[in-house]
Amino acid sequence: MDDMDEDQGASGAFVFNGNWREFAPIALTNLLLMIVTLGIYRFWAKARERRYLWSRTDFIGDPLEWTGTGKELFVGFLFAILLIGPPVLVLQFGLQALIVRGHPGAAFLIGMGAYVVLLYLIGVARFRGLRYRLSRTYWHGIRGGSDVQGWRYGISYFWKTVVGSLAAGLLIPWSMISLWNERWGSMSFGPHRFESYASQGPIFGRFMLFYLLPVVGCVGVVGTAAMSMGGAAPADPAKVGIMLVAGVVAAYLAIGVIALAFYAAFFREGVGHLLLGKLRFHFDARTIDWFKLILGHAGLVIVTLGIGLVFISYRNWAFFIRHMAASGEVTLAEMTQSPTAAPRQGEGLLDAFDVGAF
């Protein structure tokens, strides 16, 4: 390894050099192989995609490398099925059988138990998914990871998610930020441990919009109805119906935009308060950037009659890297291989629950 110091500005630390023309043969071949193998090939397809995306991503002038394999992801998925299969079977069939036989109380208690287990496993999945991805990401021959298995994080995920839903959900921003800090605070890259000190304060205002929207909507509906009924001429039922339908559609769109605005602020706050040694990370995507990304996804899928779905991972990764930045200092002479143990299975639980690692 070269002995040199890098002092990189916030912009330009991360560079994505890929293009969709290079990615297309990989994505389309993966699609054909998944069809032929009835979906089993998707684990190897994901590994192929990541090898390409990582190899086209430079950090301070040197490319990343993905060393995970399809076999690891497949084994991880089988492991996940063994874990989540029993509680899912209980929820699907066991509860109905108990209720039919006249034991609703027992069905309720067992159902709650299964729900607790699933919520706990979702937390474990998020932790182990991030741990696995860091352990298979190399830069200058150095990888990341964590010595923590994630089982205790599952307990934190469970109780913080439950507490976050209390007080009419007003503690959800605290829950999300607290779990983000705990998850990243257990990770490392090379000899350095990540530090995360994000705060819920900067994102709480946007979260409150979820509460204001129903109030504004109710006032609007009541006002519209009052104006229609209070006019000199009787209101046209067809026009009132159209206005109500338009109001419902507008409410759904508004909820989506507010959710996007909240998540954009959450991600900026989380990444913007993430440290690794003397490096500080930044993420500058605004709500409008996320909106354009999702609108592009929808347009691509519609125009290509669904085939464009295979390019979603490419567009997400390119978006993520192009908005990532880092500032500070990296001393390569101090960077040594990570002492953490590397997991043997892939992110099977994360795949099974379909939740993001970040």
Side-chain angles (χ1 to χ4, degrees):
M1 183 185 306
D2 295 335
D3 184 12
M4 66 177 184
D5 294 343
E6 295 283 358
D7 189 358
Q8 191 76 17
S11 62
F14 289 91
V15 177
F16 182 62
N17 302 306
N19 65 71
W20 70 269
R21 293 180 184 82
E22 287 182 344
F23 184 76
I26 297 172
L28 295 175
T29 304
N30 284 342
L31 177 62
L32 290 175
L33 289 172
M34 283 192 289
I35 293 173
V36 170
T37 62
L38 302 178
I40 295 177
Y41 186 75
R42 69 188 184 90
F43 306 101
W44 286 265
K46 186 178 290 185
R48 283 187 70 199
E49 288 183 358
R50 288 181 180 175
R51 276 196 295 275
Y52 171 79
L53 296 173
W54 266 240
S55 70
R56 294 297 186 273
T57 302
D58 288 352
F59 178 59
I60 317 182
D62 288 295
L64 302 180
E65 181 186 2
W66 174 261
T67 61
T69 66
K71 180 182 176 182
E72 290 171 350
L73 295 173
F74 181 62
V75 172
F77 181 77
L78 294 179
F79 178 68
I81 293 299
L82 291 176
L83 273 180
I84 67 173
V88 169
L89 287 176
V90 166
L91 289 174
Q92 286 288 329
F93 304 107
L95 300 187
Q96 295 180 24
L98 283 172
I99 293 172
V100 169
R101 295 181 181 182
H103 303 291
F108 175 77
L109 291 176
I110 294 174
M112 289 298 295
Y115 173 75
V116 168
V117 171
L118 287 177
L119 193 56
Y120 167 78
L121 289 177
I122 289 174
V124 174
R126 284 206 151 183
F127 187 95
R128 293 176 70 88
L130 179 59
R131 173 176 176 254
Y132 171 73
R133 292 183 188 185
L134 285 172
S135 73
R136 298 303 190 269
T137 297
Y138 279 71
W139 179 74
H140 268 280
I142 306 161
R143 66 170 173 83
S146 174
D147 280 329
V148 181
Q149 299 293 316
W151 305 114
R152 180 172 292 182
Y153 177 83
I155 297 174
S156 290
Y157 185 86
F158 171 74
W159 79 260
K160 287 179 180 177
T161 301
V162 172
V163 170
S165 64
L166 299 177
L170 288 174
L171 295 176
I172 288 176
W174 163 82
S175 171
M176 292 176 65
I177 289 292
S178 175
L179 288 169
W180 170 282
N181 289 339
E182 183 176 345
R183 189 161 64 246
W184 277 100
S186 301
M187 303 293 163
S188 62
F189 198 88
H192 300 300
R193 195 181 187 91
F194 283 100
E195 298 175 55
S196 181
Y197 56 96
S199 169
Q200 70 271 17
I203 65 174
F204 192 75
R206 295 199 180 194
F207 186 77
M208 285 302 295
L209 291 176
F210 283 109
Y211 285 81
L212 294 177
L213 178 64
V215 174
V216 172
C218 288
V219 170
V221 169
V222 171
T224 302
M227 290 176 63
S228 301
M229 296 176 65
D236 184 347
K239 289 184 178 178
V240 173
I242 292 173
M243 291 175 66
L244 289 177
V245 170
V248 171
V249 172
Y252 272 106
L253 291 176
I255 289 174
V257 172
I258 291 172
L260 208 57
F262 170 73
Y263 190 73
F266 168 78
F267 212 69
R268 285 200 304 274
E269 174 69 17
V271 176
H273 293 83
L274 195 60
L275 298 174
L276 180 66
K278 297 176 183 177
L279 270 181
R280 178 172 181 172
F281 298 93
H282 310 270
F283 193 77
D284 63 3
R286 314 295 299 184
T287 303
I288 187 65
D289 299 314
W290 286 93
F291 184 73
K292 289 178 180 176
L293 174 71
I294 293 174
L295 203 62
H297 285 350
L300 179 63
V301 172
I302 292 172
V303 170
T304 61
L305 301 178
I307 296 176
L309 276 170
V310 298
F311 291 95
I312 299 300
S313 60
Y314 171 88
R315 299 187 81 248
N316 284 338
W317 179 261
F319 175 83
F320 177 73
I321 294 301
R322 284 168 181 156
H323 288 282
M324 274 291 291
S327 59
E329 182 179 292
V330 177
T331 304
L332 290 178
E334 296 177 357
M335 293 291 282
T336 56
Q337 184 53 269
S338 173
T340 61
R344 287 176 294 181
Q345 297 93 22
E347 54 205 29
L349 272 176
L350 200 69
D351 195 31
F353 286 118
D354 194 24
V355 293
F358 294 158

